[in-house]
Amino acid sequence: AVAASKPHRAPRAGAKASKKKEHRLKKQGVKKDPSHKDPKAFGVAKVGRARGQIQRNLDREHRKQHVEIVDRTSEVPPPVLVAVMGPPGCGKTTLIKSLVKHYTRQTLLDARGPITVVTGKRRRVTFFECPPTVPAMLDLAKVADLALVLIDASFGFEMEQFEFLNMLQVHGFPKVMGVLTHLDTFRDSKSLKRTKKQLKQRFWTEIYQGAKLFYLSGMINGRYLKNEIHNLSLFISRIKFRPLVWRNTHPYLVVDRVEDVTDAALVESDPRVDRRVVLFGYVRGTNLKLGTKVHMVGCGDFYMRSLRPLDDPCPPPDMEKADGKTRRSLNVKDKLIYAPQANLGAVLFDQDAVYIDVPELQFTRPDRIGAGAVLPDAGATVTAEEAAREGEAQAARAAAASEGVRL
């Protein structure tokens, strides 16, 4: 018997069936709707999870939105004030010396008072070592743009760090970065790793999750390692600051130099006479106006007798070339430093004069030195007659040496 043949079954799905369907619709003149999609193909498996994910994304975008704050600083902003804070013996002075050496290639012997350095094409930074006392921490918490909190890894957190962080929260909470020091005291790598993790989590609890924490693992020749200081300096030079409302509406000045201009005769006759003091420093915040009352920390409220602008002792570098192009990097002469209280830097700017400190002087005309003068190189007191005789002897020796030499 011959088996009955099965009827042909045309394909209803697949590439071939879709192609035949499109050909048939095209032949009938029906246009394909591009927006027509299967509603079930793009649905969500769980509606609750999808709703939560969408709400989370919206919340993240909303947290990034801030009310615009007007920045009232001048076109050339004052240096950024970096407060280096920590308990005694944690390495504050060593950190400032290492940063100054990295930026300016100069050796700082005494980190006293504000130390201003040029760190980039458009930024200057003032380092200020914060003493571990409550009044000093309170004063610097009011004016610091960036706080470097040093933590002794061999000891952990101390009361000074917590007090300083609480003061920062009250005064607007500027940018804060942590620095772990004394990591070279650990001999076991496991204990070092465990200590780093514990201190990092504790620091994040006090600041916020993900706060920047740097590690200084050791010292060479009295300074921290170059690559670690380089990484820290990059963050200091590139960090962006959001203007704080109170500082943005109030002028304030961090004094970097003080001079007492009271008449010496009055002071000698009455040591408790009213003094006349001249204060030098960068004005931050808004413009400082004459006639307003000024509060001096620890002294009270006073009125300014005069207010005069001076030339910038540490000006930002001029990045314009002679041909009109812009330089991309700093020269050695652009890496300036201004530290009047630390006896570093050769220039002092006064109201009507500029003082240049020349450590080694060589007198070419000793006969002009008055009686009783002290020569810096000799360190001995000579009279005018002795100086004149010495000058004549030097002139005679120079004439004898140049005898027979013609130009």
Side-chain angles (χ1 to χ4, degrees):
V2 180
S5 59
K6 294 183 179 180
H8 175 68
R9 295 182 180 179
R12 299 180 181 179
K16 197 171 184 180
S18 300
K19 189 176 181 180
K20 286 184 178 182
K21 184 178 179 181
E22 291 178 4
H23 181 69
R24 185 173 66 253
L25 293 176
K26 185 177 180 181
K27 199 172 183 180
Q28 296 175 0
V30 179
K31 295 183 179 180
K32 184 179 179 182
D33 186 8
S35 62
H36 178 71
K37 295 179 180 179
D38 187 3
K40 294 184 179 180
F42 299 93
V44 294
K46 295 183 179 180
V47 180
R49 184 174 63 180
R51 185 188 299 112
Q53 187 174 3
I54 294 173
Q55 185 64 39
R56 177 176 174 271
N57 294 335
L58 293 175
D59 292 342
R60 290 182 61 186
E61 291 296 329
H62 183 69
R63 280 195 294 266
K64 295 179 182 179
Q65 299 174 1
H66 295 281
V67 179
E68 185 177 359
I69 298 178
V70 180
D71 192 1
R72 301 178 185 271
T73 56
S74 59
E75 183 179 357
V76 180
V80 176
L81 185 59
V82 179
V84 183
M85 185 272 160
C90 64
K92 301 186 294 297
T93 305
T94 306
L95 179 60
I96 294 178
K97 291 181 179 180
S98 302
L99 288 171
V100 170
K101 183 70 173 179
H102 172 77
Y103 282 124
T104 64
R105 302 294 188 269
Q106 296 191 34
T107 302
L108 183 65
L109 300 179
D110 186 11
R112 181 182 302 174
I115 301 171
T116 304
V117 296
V118 176
T119 62
K121 295 183 290 186
R122 296 178 182 87
R123 173 164 292 187
R124 296 166 295 172
V125 174
T126 298
F127 296 102
F128 204 119
E129 180 178 349
C130 179
T133 59
V134 174
M137 290 190 293
L138 183 60
D139 297 338
L140 279 178
K142 298 176 182 179
V143 298
D145 298 313
L146 172 64
L148 293 180
V149 181
L150 272 68
I151 306 166
D152 188 352
S154 61
F155 190 84
F157 281 91
E158 299 184 40
M159 189 57 64
E160 287 86 351
Q161 284 110 346
F162 296 116
E163 292 177 350
F164 187 65
L165 292 177
N166 290 333
M167 295 176 186
L168 291 178
Q169 291 176 355
V170 174
H171 294 92
F173 207 83
K175 297 284 186 177
V176 179
M177 291 195 302
V179 180
L180 281 183
T181 60
H182 294 177
L183 295 176
D184 52 344
T185 57
F186 291 88
R187 301 303 177 187
D188 187 7
S189 60
K190 291 185 178 180
S191 61
L192 174 61
K193 187 176 181 180
R194 183 175 62 252
T195 303
K196 283 183 177 180
K197 185 176 180 180
Q198 292 176 353
L199 294 178
K200 181 180 68 174
Q201 295 295 334
R202 189 68 181 88
F203 186 71
W204 286 3
T205 303
E206 290 295 325
I207 311 298
Y208 60 87
Q209 292 293 321
K212 201 63 184 176
L213 186 64
F214 290 89
Y215 306 109
L216 300 180
S217 57
M219 296 175 60
I220 296 180
N221 297 328
R223 289 188 295 269
Y224 294 112
L225 302 182
K226 290 185 177 180
N227 57 341
E228 297 174 348
I229 293 297
H230 177 69
N231 295 334
L232 178 59
S233 65
L234 286 180
F235 275 83
I236 295 176
S237 301
R238 297 174 181 176
I239 191 171
K240 296 181 180 180
F241 300 97
R242 188 167 183 263
L244 300 180
V245 177
W246 194 90
R247 301 183 191 178
N248 209 7
T249 55
H250 294 76
Y252 60 98
L253 183 140
V254 179
V255 178
D256 52 24
R257 188 159 64 95
V258 182
E259 286 191 9
D260 187 1
V261 295
T262 312
D263 190 1
L266 297 177
V267 177
E268 185 176 0
S269 60
D270 185 7
R272 303 188 63 179
V273 69
D274 293 339
R275 302 297 183 97
R276 293 181 59 190
V277 181
V278 181
L279 307 177
F280 300 86
Y282 290 96
V283 178
R284 293 172 167 86
T286 57
N287 296 328
L288 191 62
K289 298 180 181 180
L290 186 63
T292 58
K293 187 176 290 188
V294 178
H295 176 75
M296 296 182 62
V297 178
C299 298
D301 298 336
F302 298 90
Y303 285 101
M304 295 180 293
R305 183 172 182 178
S306 63
L307 180 64
R308 298 184 182 181
L310 298 177
D311 293 334
D312 196 340
C314 188
D318 185 11
M319 303 306 296
E320 293 293 334
K321 293 184 179 179
D323 54 358
K325 297 182 180 179
T326 304
R327 294 190 289 118
R328 300 184 60 183
S329 60
L330 297 179
N331 296 330
V332 178
K333 63 180 182 180
D334 296 329
K335 299 178 180 179
L336 303 177
I337 181 171
Y338 179 65
Q341 297 186 24
N343 293 328
L344 184 63
V347 180
L348 286 180
F349 287 79
D350 206 345
Q351 179 178 345
D352 53 356
V354 178
Y355 300 96
I356 301 177
D357 182 20
V358 182
E360 296 181 1
L361 295 179
Q362 296 180 359
F363 291 95
T364 58
R365 297 291 301 274
D367 54 334
R368 294 188 177 184
I369 302 177
V374 179
L375 293 176
D377 52 353
T381 304
V382 297
T383 61
E385 292 79 9
E386 294 177 354
R389 288 196 298 270
E390 179 65 23
E392 293 176 357
Q394 290 182 1
R397 288 194 296 268
S402 61
E403 185 177 358
V405 178
R406 295 182 180 179
L407 299 179

